[in-house]
Amino acid sequence: KSEKEVIKNPFPGLRPFKYEESHLYFGRENQIDEVLDKLVQNRFVSIIGTSGIGKSSFIYCGIFPVLYGDYPTDTSSKWEIFTMRPGVSPIKNLAKSLVHNELIDFEDSEKNDLSENIEYALLTKDSNGLIESIRSKYQQFPRNYLIFIDQFEEIFRFKDIDTHSHEETLAFIKLIANAVYQSEVPIYVALTM
């Protein structure tokens, strides 16, 4: 090989695969089909396993490309996906996720802050806040909406910091549960833990 010709390693190492690397991800077709069937049937699926086994890679490079490839449901074959990690404030992180997927101008931090605050207020109004947030998006853009919560176990790690964190954790779980159990708006939830 010439000095200019460099062979690139197709594996990301210890970090998870990114969506852009899905062309390098293979060998999980049966599991992908099974998870997609369960997701569409139940509106909820969880991928549970020990740290480092590839849960996030499976979602980003196995599930997302199939959904973005017009995976059909009774509602639509189009999907919008919101990704988040719970962190210390799961509802704030959910609000941020819902805003950043719909904003065109990510550089306008003042607009981002205002949009996140509006979304947060809607989510904390009551336990149907997520349904209402997605309903307004659905009315403009009819499609399926997937909320992907990576490292869901973080909500248990931070719950004992203070009373507010504990209350927010419970409210977050109610938002997710209510969104999954309703059938008016096509909301789906996938999580890794």
Side-chain angles (χ1 to χ4, degrees):
K1 303 243 179 229
S2 70
E3 288 181 36
K4 291 184 180 184
E5 195 174 332
V6 177
I7 298 174
K8 242 182 140 181
N9 184 349
F11 304 104
L14 296 177
R15 71 165 173 76
F17 279 86
K18 296 176 185 173
Y19 176 77
E20 308 81 59
E21 299 167 324
S22 60
H23 64 286
L24 301 172
Y25 190 84
F26 59 90
R28 300 278 185 203
E29 290 76 19
N30 291 340
Q31 291 90 354
I32 291 167
D33 290 343
E34 184 179 344
V35 167
L36 287 170
D37 287 346
K38 288 181 180 186
L39 176 65
V40 170
Q41 181 180 4
N42 302 311
R43 292 184 178 241
F44 175 83
V45 70
S46 61
I47 309 299
I48 300 172
T50 57
S51 181
I53 65 165
K55 299 176 297 291
S56 298
S57 296
F58 178 78
I59 296 290
Y60 280 103
C61 295
I63 302 298
F64 288 0
V66 175
L67 294 179
Y68 282 136
D70 294 338
Y71 191 82
T73 67
D74 292 339
T75 306
S76 175
S77 62
K78 301 292 181 204
W79 290 81
E80 183 154 350
I81 300 172
F82 303 101
T83 63
M84 64 161 295
R85 288 178 56 181
V88 177
S89 183
I91 296 177
K92 281 187 180 177
N93 291 336
L94 177 57
K96 185 178 287 192
S97 172
L98 294 170
V99 166
H100 287 287
N101 274 33
E102 69 180 356
L103 284 180
I104 295 168
D105 181 14
F106 290 99
E107 300 303 316
D108 187 348
S109 63
E110 194 172 301
K111 182 179 177 183
N112 286 346
D113 291 344
L114 178 61
S115 297
E116 287 173 24
N117 289 337
I118 291 169
E119 198 71 54
Y120 181 76
L122 181 60
L123 292 172
T124 56
K125 182 180 172 193
D126 64 35
S127 59
N128 291 319
L130 179 57
I131 298 167
E132 295 310 314
S133 173
I134 300 295
R135 184 188 318 273
S136 68
K137 293 168 182 27
Y138 179 71
Q139 289 169 344
Q140 286 185 319
F141 305 104
R143 60 191 64 200
N144 300 301
Y145 290 86
L146 174 67
I147 309 295
F148 170 52
I149 308 166
D150 200 10
Q151 299 188 24
F152 185 76
E153 70 273 10
E154 287 181 353
I155 66 164
F156 304 113
R157 191 177 319 152
F158 297 115
K159 74 176 184 63
D160 293 327
I161 292 174
D162 60 37
T163 305
H164 176 72
S165 293
H166 182 70
E167 290 171 4
E168 184 170 348
T169 297
L170 293 175
F172 176 74
I173 292 170
K174 285 180 186 176
L175 285 170
I176 299 301
N178 285 0
V180 168
Y181 289 124
Q182 59 81 42
S183 59
E184 297 172 21
V185 184
I187 302 173
Y188 298 82
V189 175
L191 61 88
T192 61
M193 185 163 57

